[in-house]
Amino acid sequence: MTSLPALIESNITTIFRGKNEIVRQAILCILSEGHLLIEDIPGVGKTTLALALAKSLNLTFQRIQFTSDLLPTDILGVSIYNTKTNTFEYKKGPIFHHIILADEINRSTPKTQSALLEAMNEHQVSSDNETRALPQPFFVIATQNPYEHYGTYPLPESQRDRFLMRLSIGYPDHESEREILKQEIDFRSIENLSHVTDRDAIIQVIGQVRKVKVDESLDDYILAIIQETRQSPFLELGVSPRGSLALRRVAQANALMEGRDYVIPDDIKKNAACILSHRIILKSINGELESEATKKVIQEITDRIPVPL
């Protein structure tokens, strides 16, 4: 019997061609109750991935275009005075949806970025001395272009740490792009995508992820990787405890997607780069893109740390 995560992956890949591993990691991210940062050029399918995920899960979706004049209230909502009732009424912002696409997040000011990231971390919005819970599940996919820096406000390290994963989609391979051309797959194709599950089923799977067993030796393996980032001569900043928790949770989700109720070392090792690379700072990049250079450092660390038997 095909598992629910596998059904979701299969459904999305009918639209999002040639990037099965990216789709898989996005599903891992939502099952791990985290948020996803995608750094890539325009036109490679960031919006398509987000909307296809929402359609497959039958969840509400909202795209927010970040600009320099976007205000926190444009995202979170605002209280408006009603002259008929002589009271303030709260008008919910676009963040009150299950899946949010924060497009070009680095184009908004730090104040607006912080408002979004606080809501991501707390899963709630506070205003007028009242706290309003965000819908569950709640998943943010934020995008930014790593090549374009004019008029942008790069996310500081402390805010990038709020994202569970950082991915780069990249160009499709030759055959996949041929299929995209031949079948004319574009943004409008998502309208015909059917859902394969619903909110309650996803929440149930998320609950199962938490129950996946992690042996004490594997906790030590995770901590050895994390400690190495803090001691590495190539790094100015190592991974925080939030990063070690993220790596553990994604390893549990990966085990569940592969039909196991226990974690093995490969669940940790194969996901370490996309979870840890944006949480470290290199001493020298030597002309490489920061995202690629940090991935190499994490890969080198995981290759060096002995795997528990």
Side-chain angles (χ1 to χ4, degrees):
M1 182 178 177
T2 306
S3 67
L4 182 55
L7 281 174
I8 298 168
E9 181 180 349
S10 177
N11 197 53
I12 295 174
T13 52
T14 61
I15 295 293
F16 200 72
R17 297 296 178 86
K19 296 293 178 180
N20 291 27
E21 187 59 29
I22 296 295
V23 173
R24 179 183 178 83
Q25 288 173 318
I27 296 170
L28 280 176
C29 198
I30 194 170
L31 295 182
S32 303
E33 301 176 90
H35 304 286
L36 177 62
L37 177 63
I38 301 179
E39 291 187 345
D40 219 320
I41 60 173
V44 293
K46 300 184 288 290
T47 303
T48 301
L49 174 62
L51 190 50
L53 186 61
K55 290 275 286 185
S56 296
L57 303 182
N58 198 24
L59 299 176
T60 61
F61 171 83
Q62 182 66 53
R63 176 180 178 270
I64 305 173
Q65 179 62 55
F66 278 66
T67 57
S68 59
D69 59 350
L70 190 73
L71 299 175
T73 52
D74 295 329
I75 299 172
L76 308 180
V78 64
S79 293
I80 299 175
Y81 186 71
N82 188 326
T83 56
K84 294 182 179 179
T85 61
N86 293 325
T87 58
F88 283 94
E89 296 179 356
Y90 183 75
K91 302 295 183 182
K92 289 183 177 180
I95 201 169
F96 285 89
H97 286 78
H98 291 109
I99 296 182
I100 304 294
L101 176 64
D103 212 2
E104 296 184 300
I105 188 175
N106 56 328
R107 289 201 171 278
S108 66
T109 61
K111 184 177 182 179
T112 303
Q113 291 175 1
S114 297
L116 171 69
L117 293 166
E118 182 180 0
M120 288 165 48
N121 192 54
E122 304 295 334
H123 282 211
Q124 61 185 26
V125 172
S126 298
S127 65
D128 301 331
N129 297 320
E130 188 174 345
T131 299
R132 298 172 176 86
L134 294 170
Q136 297 300 323
F138 177 65
F139 182 48
V140 173
I141 300 178
T143 74
Q144 59 180 5
N145 185 343
Y147 297 97
E148 193 171 348
H149 304 289
Y150 181 75
T152 62
Y153 303 85
L155 290 173
E157 287 72 24
S158 60
Q159 294 188 0
R160 286 192 303 181
D161 195 40
R162 305 288 181 93
F163 290 95
L164 184 78
M165 287 186 186
R166 178 178 65 179
L167 300 176
S168 177
I169 296 174
Y171 295 115
D173 60 62
H174 182 79
E175 288 304 315
S176 296
E177 193 159 9
R178 182 195 294 274
E179 289 181 18
I180 293 170
L181 289 173
K182 189 175 180 180
Q183 299 179 26
E184 296 185 359
I185 298 174
D186 58 14
F187 186 76
R188 291 169 295 182
S189 304
I190 305 173
E191 296 175 4
N192 300 321
L193 193 67
S194 59
H195 65 269
V196 295
T197 185
D198 56 24
R199 172 186 174 276
D200 292 339
I202 287 299
I203 290 176
Q204 185 177 357
V205 175
I206 289 172
Q208 293 172 358
V209 168
R210 300 179 190 141
K211 298 176 182 177
V212 173
K213 295 185 287 291
V214 184
D215 190 80
E216 190 172 328
S217 64
L218 294 179
D219 279 337
D220 290 336
Y221 179 48
I222 291 171
L223 293 175
I225 294 171
I226 301 302
Q227 192 62 35
E228 186 68 20
T229 68
R230 299 169 185 171
Q231 298 174 350
S232 172
F234 303 107
L235 302 179
E236 291 184 2
L237 180 70
V239 176
S240 68
R242 183 186 282 140
S244 58
L245 288 168
L247 184 54
R248 190 181 198 270
R249 178 58 62 82
V250 172
Q252 290 175 295
N254 193 85
L256 186 72
M257 283 193 72
E258 296 189 359
R260 288 180 275 104
D261 64 352
Y262 58 90
V263 171
I264 62 175
D266 197 46
D267 294 323
I268 299 167
K269 190 172 182 178
K270 71 186 294 187
N271 293 296
C274 65
I275 297 166
L276 304 181
S277 64
H278 61 290
R279 305 175 193 269
I280 60 177
I281 299 178
L282 292 176
K283 289 185 177 178
S284 175
I285 296 178
N286 297 324
E288 284 189 278
L289 272 178
E290 183 265 348
S291 60
E292 294 303 317
T294 51
K295 282 181 182 178
K296 288 182 180 179
V297 172
I298 295 297
Q299 188 64 54
E300 190 273 334
I301 287 173
T302 55
D303 288 342
R304 192 169 65 250
I305 299 292
V307 176
L309 301 176

